[in-house]
Amino acid sequence: METGILDGKSLSKQIKEEIAREVADWVGQGNRRPHLAAVLVGQDGASRTYVDHKVKSCAQVGFESTLIERPADIGQADLLEIVAQLNDDPAIDGFIVQLPLPAHIDDQAVIEAVDPAKDVDGFHPSNMGNLALGLPGFVPATPAGIMTMLERSGVETEGKHAVVIGRSSIVGTPMSLLLSRSGSPGNCTVTLCHSRTQDLAAHCSRADILVAAVGRPGMVKADMVKEGAVVIDVGITRVEDPTAKRGFRLKGDVDYADVAPKCRWITPVPGGVGPMTIVSLLNNTLEAARRSADQA
Ligand code: NAD
């Protein structure tokens, strides 16, 4: 069996070109360019990198973007005021507040303050509720990107046993809902594993599709993976590496060298799930712009 690499980098490039064509058509029909705003609080290096990628990707597809930066000691009321202004600004189609926020800010209060119609991260309870009920709404970008990757790569999901490791509200839980929902891709039988799961290896080794979203570098080893499985590695952890230019390397949750030979398909880190996440955010923003034009 040959191992196929699910190359998120090249797939995302192709999908961005498709989005750019859709934007050109949209603008050609007399609409204004979709506009994404991103709020970045503090100086966390990883958060800055993610936001920079998002802003750069907006330019690549012909969106407007606005980056709002505030220091780590911003008060919660001031941050909520920024959210309220973005909610009210008719020139902004969608926005994100990059997580994690500093400890003195209640993430959930900020998430709940975002207008669900502009919540292109899909974190608002109303969008999460729609996802759970199978109703239209914004789907969190990382699991949505994984579904797109499975679909575009022709990975069969129907009737398969999917195991998701991690139950966060931004990755693991929505991933389990998407894989189990009726549709294609979808129709999986899903096992959701987490920090209190007993005998994780036994669950994983029964997976046709294994999604690791934990944040523990290299935790998934070959003896936890079934021969011929599809392995999706969501984890991104910065691991110190003095030989690397930036002093660190990105490592996934899967021990790639150990696991890849057993897989039918596997995602690399970097260049797998990460770029697909950004594509989903762009798709959500385009969708928000279309909906807002429909209502104008
Ligand atoms: P999180 O910390 O919110 O959740 C981690 C989950 O892992 C928890 O639900 C916990 O129950 C589970 N867990 C912890 N230890 C475990 C163990 N020993 N066995 C089984 N489960 C265990 O993290 P998150 O926000 O869901 O992110 C997970 C990883 O994915 C991180 O590395 C993050 O950087 C990465 N991530 C990547 C992208 C991307 O675009 N590629 C997007 C979001 C998150």
Side-chain angles (χ1 to χ4, degrees), residues 142 165-168 170-171 194-195 200 213-216 219 234-237 273-274 277:
T142 300
I165 324 174
R167 60 179 162 189
S168 74
I170 64 168
V171 190
H194 46 76
S195 53
L200 180 70
V214 179
R216 287 184 162 219
M219 73 175 277
V234 186
I236 314 176
T237 306
V273 172
T277 297

Side-chain angles (χ1 to χ4, degrees), residues 128 131-132 140 143 164-180 190 192-193 213:
M128 290 295 283
L131 172 60
V164 178
I165 324 174
R167 60 179 162 189
S168 74
S169 49
I170 64 168
V171 190
T173 295
M175 190 72 244
S176 69
L177 291 168
L178 288 167
L179 287 167
S180 61
V190 177
L192 182 56
C193 297

Side-chain angles (χ1 to χ4, degrees), residues 107-189:
D107 288 13
Q108 196 56 32
V110 175
I111 288 169
E112 289 182 22
V114 175
D115 177 351
K118 294 191 177 190
D119 171 39
V120 286
D121 255 342
F123 296 163
H124 190 280
S126 118
N127 281 315
M128 290 295 283
N130 285 335
L131 172 60
L133 294 170
L135 298 172
F138 293 119
V139 175
T142 300
I146 294 169
M147 295 304 275
T148 303
M149 179 182 249
L150 294 173
E151 184 180 18
R152 293 292 194 107
S153 312
V155 174
E156 183 57 70
T157 58
E158 174 94 22
K160 303 289 183 197
H161 180 203
V163 173
V164 178
I165 324 174
R167 60 179 162 189
S168 74
S169 49
I170 64 168
V171 190
T173 295
M175 190 72 244
S176 69
L177 291 168
L178 288 167
L179 287 167
S180 61
R181 81 181 179 183
S182 175
S184 179
N187 287 337
C188 289
T189 303

